């Protein structure tokens, strides 16, 4: 009986192996094709257009005062928004993962809110709040405070758009780690802050760094919300993405792609830092993931 069935079993097994290899090959081919068409090709195009007229034309795009102002503003906004989101992300993730309280589901929903709201809408909300005809605009103008079409408004819009990144990186990590180590520390007499600094923070430091990298990349590349709240004041409230749009609309393609290549380089640096950390600390990251 077994001898009679063995050819059929062997044939089915070979068919399954062949089908598995075919599915794997197709999946790999689709992934590579997607990568080439939608990621690598646009990136190569940006750098090819940026250097199409040589190095002199490329670096001349950054000699303009407007480009330098856009770069300074972009770095300034990121330097302000990322630390705010770092603090918020840690606090929100710690509260959601480590404690049970009334309104917890609402807090989780609020953390995800920027993912579901269009950045343009979020920028418009800040204009309606802090603009000259907004709710708080007249009072702010009376006291000499300008939020809309100035640095504070750009920072607020950027914080709103980017604040889920750190929290969403930390929440599943903290939930997987549980509360056993913190409870043991509290039992041994440590206060809450000491338990956080000596146990919680070291356990999440790599996930925290990933969240900061993602938050920083999004902050520097944000267009929609900043476009609405900034007012597009050239040389004053234009960030690098807005400066790229202006150059492109003026048919200054080389300068537009040159500035765009700078944004791409900043994103690649963030990706390289992430990959380097994974390579140098892969074992420790895996250990934290199993904790």
């Amino acid at each position: 009986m077994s001898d009679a069935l063995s050819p059929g079993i062997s044939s089915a097994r070979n068919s399954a192996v062949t089908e598995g290899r075919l599915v794997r090959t197709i999946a790999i081919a689709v992934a590579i094709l997607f990568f080439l068409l939608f990621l690598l090709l646009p990136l190569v195009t940006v750098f090819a257009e940026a250097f199409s007229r040589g190095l002199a034309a490329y670096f001349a795009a950054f000699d303009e005062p407007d480009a330098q102002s856009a770069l300074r503003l972009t770095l300034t906004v990121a330097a302000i928004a990322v630390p705010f989101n770092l603090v918020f992300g840690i606090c929100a993730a710690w509260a959601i993962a480590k404690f049970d309280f009334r309104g917890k589901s609402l807090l989780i929903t609020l953390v995800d809110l920027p993912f579901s709201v269009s950045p343009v809408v979020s920028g418009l909300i800040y204009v309606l709040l802090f603009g000259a005809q907004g709710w708080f605009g007249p009072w702010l103008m009376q006291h000499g405070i300008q939020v809309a079409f100035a640095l504070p408004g750009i920072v607020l819009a950027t914080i709103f758009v980017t604040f889920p990144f750190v929290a969403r990186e930390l929440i599943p990590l903290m939930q997987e780690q549980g509360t056993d180590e913190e409870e043991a520390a509290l039992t041994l007499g440590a206060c809450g802050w000491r338990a956080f600094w000596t146990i919680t923070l070291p356990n999440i430091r790599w996930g925290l760094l990933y969240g900061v990298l993602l938050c920083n990349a999004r902050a520097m590349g944000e267009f929609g919300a900043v476009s609405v709240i900034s007012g597009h004041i050239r040389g004053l409230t234009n960030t690098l993405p807005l400066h790229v749009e202006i150059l492109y609309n003026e048919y200054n393609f080389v300068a537009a792609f040159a500035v765009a290549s700078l944004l791409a380089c900043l994103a690649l640096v963030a990706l390289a830092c992430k990959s380097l950390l994974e390579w140098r600390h892969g074992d420790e990251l895996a250990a934290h993931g199993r904790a």
Side-chain angles (χ1 to χ4, degrees), residues 11-35:
S11 177
R13 182 178 301 170
N14 292 334
S15 177
V17 171
T18 303
E19 183 178 355
R21 290 177 179 174
L22 179 62
V23 171
R24 182 178 62 182
T25 302
I26 293 175
I28 293 174
V30 170
I32 294 175
L33 182 63
F34 185 91
F35 172 78

Side-chain angles (χ1 to χ4, degrees), residues 193-217:
W193 278 111
R194 184 172 179 80
F196 172 79
W197 286 108
T198 59
I199 296 176
T200 305
L201 190 59
N203 286 341
I204 65 170
R205 62 184 182 275
W206 301 121
L208 179 62
L209 185 55
Y210 289 169
V212 168
L213 289 173
L214 293 175
C215 180
N216 183 70

Side-chain angles (χ1 to χ4, degrees), residues 43-116:
L43 189 63
V44 171
T45 302
V46 168
F47 283 95
E49 291 292 334
F51 291 99
S52 61
R53 295 186 182 178
L55 291 175
Y58 178 84
F59 289 110
F62 301 104
D63 289 335
E64 296 182 357
D66 291 343
Q68 296 174 4
S69 174
L71 177 59
R72 286 194 300 268
L73 181 60
T74 301
L75 296 177
T76 301
V77 171
I80 298 173
V82 173
F84 271 99
N85 285 326
L86 171 65
V87 175
F88 168 81
I90 293 175
C91 293
W94 194 19
I96 292 171
K98 303 296 184 179
F99 304 102
D100 290 323
F101 54 92
R102 184 175 299 178
K104 181 176 179 177
S105 59
L106 177 61
L107 179 58
I108 296 175
T109 302
L110 292 177
V111 169
D112 293 334
L113 183 63
F115 287 141
S116 58

